[in-house]
Amino acid sequence: MSRTAVITGAGSRRGIGRATAHTLAAAGWAVAVLDVDEPAAKDAAGEIAAAHGVSALGVHCDVTDAGSVDRALTAVEAGLPEVGALVNNAGITSPTRFLDVTDEEWERIFAVNVRGSYLVTKRVAPGMADRGFGRIVNLSSVSAERGGGVFGGVAYSAAKAALLGFSRALARELGPRGITVNSVAPGLVDTDITAGKLDPDRKAAMVADIPMGRTGTVTDVADVIAFLCRPESSYLTGVTYDINGGSHIH
Ligand code: NAD
């Protein structure tokens, strides 16, 4: 049966979300690309439909806004098969140190990463529970586990750690309804999220400390997410998958 995977923040051309949408489409999912950047969402959906021959929809969605989330999911439900998977991928980061962070910046980081994941999940989970099937994957980060030290500062690390508790509690609650909830915690992946602000010397020092000798790729992350979304992955829930080339073994 064809089902839809909803991926937030999947507009970004070099991002983890778009790669994940491609991998899920290649596995036969219909795909809904939700992004605050509407042209990018539509571009991604067009690219995915053409590449994989699946139904794909690109929809504007600001995940921090409940009204926007509701409008986006209403459009998805009208245009695509039933929603079977949700990847809460939309996220922003900032390297600001705690003694310099403003209240506004703290709130903005939490709004996109935490409230966004909450609002989209809140909108999607009731339908999954009614249908008795769901796969939810939240994008955490190695920063949550090791307390930053990659790029993101305290606000980002705290927000990504909140998603681990969110995932685990939700896994416990929604398991009996046929829904799995897991997290992935990538290390440094070369995308546009750092907006070119990662110092090359710092990056080289980090790579020197990664057993696999390189930074992560978007497909490294997309493959794990797609694995967790398979119907067959029904006995994996409340788990955090580290995708960091061995840079944080714990
Ligand atoms: P990216 O910047 O390439 O993509 C993020 C996407 O989210 C963009 O398309 C952006 O438009 C969208 N977005 C931002 N705010 C939004 C909002 N309010 N509503 C809807 N969409 C919004 O980033 P990426 O590196 O692909 O990151 C994807 C996820 O992976 C994020 O949650 C990030 O924190 C996480 N992550 C990334 C890395 C890394 O090293 N790149 C490491 C660990 C975790």
Side-chain angles (χ1 to χ4, degrees):
M1 190 219 315
S2 175
R3 292 191 174 104
T4 297
V6 175
I7 306 109
T8 67
S12 179
R13 183 159 279 285
R14 299 193 325 119
I16 292 167
R18 192 183 285 221
T20 300
H22 269 287
T23 305
L24 288 168
W29 292 82
V31 160
V33 173
L34 272 49
D35 206 294
V36 71
D37 181 344
E38 186 173 11
K42 293 196 180 312
D43 176 71
E47 182 184 279
I48 288 160
H52 307 286
V54 299
S55 302
L57 201 60
V59 189
H60 173 265
C61 179
D62 178 354
V63 296
T64 68
D65 181 274
S68 175
V69 168
D70 184 50
R71 283 190 294 280
L73 265 302
T74 300
V76 170
E77 286 163 351
L80 292 174
E82 69 185 36
V83 175
L86 166 62
V87 183
N88 282 312
N89 167 80
I92 57 170
T93 189
S94 87
T96 313
R97 300 175 75 81
F98 186 67
L99 295 182
D100 300 320
V101 79
T102 61
D103 296 351
E104 290 70 26
E105 185 170 351
W106 183 275
E107 299 295 343
R108 192 166 52 84
I109 296 289
F110 268 74
V112 178
N113 291 291
V114 185
R115 176 149 46 95
S117 300
Y118 159 72
L119 286 175
V120 182
T121 304
K122 183 93 173 153
R123 176 63 177 76
V124 164
M128 288 179 170
D130 285 348
R131 294 185 291 273
F133 179 87
R135 299 282 180 264
I136 299 174
V137 182
N138 293 313
L139 267 287
S140 182
S141 166
V142 72
S143 296
E145 300 172 322
R146 65 189 299 267
V150 182
F151 177 82
V154 180
Y156 181 73
S157 300
K160 291 303 192 186
L163 289 177
L164 296 180
F166 176 59
S167 300
R168 291 169 183 155
L170 210 53
R172 206 176 278 283
E173 219 178 274
L174 297 181
R177 310 297 296 269
I179 302 170
T180 67
V181 189
N182 294 291
S183 306
V184 292
L188 185 61
V189 180
D190 189 22
T191 70
D192 294 328
I193 197 167
T194 52
K197 288 186 194 146
L198 181 61
D199 176 57
D201 290 343
R202 169 97 184 95
K203 184 174 171 185
M206 284 172 52
V207 171
D209 212 28
I210 300 174
M212 297 315 295
R214 62 172 177 85
T215 53
T217 66
V218 291
T219 50
D220 289 330
V221 183
D223 281 345
V224 177
I225 296 173
F227 171 76
L228 290 169
C229 289
R230 298 180 321 152
E232 295 84 352
S233 298
S234 59
Y235 209 53
L236 295 170
T237 197
V239 180
T240 305
Y241 274 75
D242 289 343
I243 310 167
N244 59 37
S247 62
H248 182 63
I249 298 175
H250 57 113

